[in-house]
Amino acid sequence: MRTRSIFAVALALLAVMSFPAVRAHHGATQGVNREPAGWPVAAFALRDQDGRPFSERRLAGRWTFVLFGDTHCGTPCDAPLAALAAMYQRIARADALRTTQVLFVSLDPERDTPDVLRRHVAAFDARFVAATGSKAALRRLMDELDASGPGVLMLIGPDGVVRSELLPPYDPLLLTSEYIRTRSRR
């Protein structure tokens, strides 16, 4: 049974890795800044859209896309969420989806209540997680990830180490391709 699972994962990754052949922008690649890569994420404490704690422990064992913004951010926040939702659809049959999560971190805890956050991320994909915290906790996390503001998309590995900052524009094909390549470099 385990051999069958490994074979299925390999087959799915091979299929997904063939996506770069279909370029959305004539040979373009997803913009990536690897400068922030290489350090483990320090302890942090937020609350998710269900009122549960969300800390660095929930990063363990998962590839996590972290997007900073708020529900009123508009295109700078909605474009990466839409691209990530499309990426989820592209990898839906791959085992990679089980170890992938999207975390939308609201920088506006006063307006973005748990109910508002739940509805906002569900409009893109119900599996996405939204969280927020105190202004001090949000500032510490942004500083830790070297995030400059709304619309910043970071990728954290399953070991809790920052792998890269992904840069706009976010094209689902290119984002998927970069994600699979980053996973394979692990």
Side-chain angles (χ1 to χ4, degrees), residues 51-127:
R52 295 182 314 210
F54 194 103
S55 71
E56 72 287 347
R57 286 178 289 237
R58 283 182 61 185
L59 303 176
R62 295 177 169 269
W63 288 87
T64 305
F65 289 90
V66 179
L67 175 66
F68 291 95
D70 60 59
T71 60
H72 305 286
C73 176
T75 301
C77 299
D78 292 349
L81 285 170
L84 288 163
M87 184 194 76
Y88 261 39
Q89 290 176 342
R90 295 189 71 72
I91 65 172
R93 293 185 180 189
D95 281 342
L97 185 61
R98 287 191 301 212
T99 58
T100 303
Q101 70 181 340
V102 170
L103 172 61
F104 177 74
V105 178
S106 172
L107 301 174
D108 189 356
E110 289 82 28
R111 283 201 296 186
D112 290 343
T113 64
D115 188 50
V116 169
L117 289 172
R118 185 180 311 102
R119 282 181 288 150
H120 185 73
V121 295
F124 295 95
D125 193 296
R127 295 167 288 192

Side-chain angles (χ1 to χ4, degrees), residues 2-168:
R2 182 153 170 78
T3 305
R4 182 178 287 173
S5 294
I6 292 171
F7 179 72
V9 169
L11 207 71
L13 284 175
L14 183 61
V16 171
M17 289 172 72
S18 67
F19 289 156
V22 182
R23 300 285 184 178
H25 295 101
H26 306 290
T29 59
Q30 175 64 52
V32 177
N33 176 8
R34 296 207 194 284
E35 189 173 311
W39 74 89
V41 176
F44 65 91
L46 304 174
R47 290 253 170 223
D48 72 13
Q49 75 267 27
D50 296 318
R52 295 182 314 210
F54 194 103
S55 71
E56 72 287 347
R57 286 178 289 237
R58 283 182 61 185
L59 303 176
R62 295 177 169 269
W63 288 87
T64 305
F65 289 90
V66 179
L67 175 66
F68 291 95
D70 60 59
T71 60
H72 305 286
C73 176
T75 301
C77 299
D78 292 349
L81 285 170
L84 288 163
M87 184 194 76
Y88 261 39
Q89 290 176 342
R90 295 189 71 72
I91 65 172
R93 293 185 180 189
D95 281 342
L97 185 61
R98 287 191 301 212
T99 58
T100 303
Q101 70 181 340
V102 170
L103 172 61
F104 177 74
V105 178
S106 172
L107 301 174
D108 189 356
E110 289 82 28
R111 283 201 296 186
D112 290 343
T113 64
D115 188 50
V116 169
L117 289 172
R118 185 180 311 102
R119 282 181 288 150
H120 185 73
V121 295
F124 295 95
D125 193 296
R127 295 167 288 192
F128 288 2
V129 177
T132 194
S134 69
K135 292 283 188 182
L138 294 168
R139 173 58 40 211
R140 276 193 308 274
L141 183 57
M142 285 187 70
D143 288 347
E144 175 66 22
L145 296 180
D146 199 23
S148 57
V152 173
L153 183 59
M154 306 296 291
L155 179 58
I156 300 171
D159 52 1
V161 173
V162 176
R163 298 305 172 112
S164 62
E165 174 186 10
L166 299 152
L167 308 169

